[in-house]
Amino acid sequence: MKWVLCGITFALSVVLAVGTASYRAGNAKLRLQLEREYRSIEARMIEVRRLSLRTAELATPERLCDRLRDALKGSKAPQQESALWQ
């Protein structure tokens, strides 16, 4: 009887070890996925900052005045602005 209980205890400890290892592997996989998403979001934030600075640079009063003059003359300058966002 003593050996049967030792065998069952050993089997349960092996099952517990395998279960713990698989649970940790799942956590590591999810952690890696979260890290990738975080880096993707960081890259998007950098791009948004870059585009906002570019927009601010293009929106200076002198440039706006030049664009208005071009628009009044019938120039195609406003179409170039949409190309910046694409």
Side-chain angles (χ1 to χ4, degrees), residues 23 26 28 31 37 40 43-44 69-70 73-74 76 78 86:
Y23 183 75
R31 197 176 318 128
E37 286 181 29
S40 172
R44 288 183 199 151
R69 276 194 208 108
D70 290 341
K73 289 179 186 175
K76 303 281 185 186
Q86 294 177 354

Side-chain angles (χ1 to χ4, degrees), residues 3-80:
W3 289 105
V4 172
L5 289 176
C6 287
I8 290 174
T9 305
F10 178 74
L12 287 176
S13 64
V14 169
V15 168
L16 181 64
V18 169
T20 303
S22 67
Y23 183 75
R24 286 184 180 179
N27 281 347
K29 183 179 176 182
L30 288 174
R31 197 176 318 128
L32 181 64
Q33 182 181 4
L34 284 174
E35 181 67 25
R36 286 181 186 154
E37 286 181 29
Y38 178 74
R39 288 183 183 181
S40 172
I41 290 170
E42 263 187 347
R44 288 183 199 151
M45 288 173 54
I46 290 170
E47 184 66 15
V48 166
R49 279 189 230 128
R50 186 189 69 79
L51 288 174
S52 67
L53 289 174
R54 176 81 172 145
T55 304
E57 176 185 305
L58 292 175
T60 61
E62 295 83 13
R63 289 196 186 253
L64 291 175
C65 187
D66 290 340
R67 284 189 188 164
L68 181 60
R69 276 194 208 108
D70 290 341
L72 291 174
K73 289 179 186 175
S75 173
K76 303 281 185 186
Q79 292 177 354
Q80 293 173 353

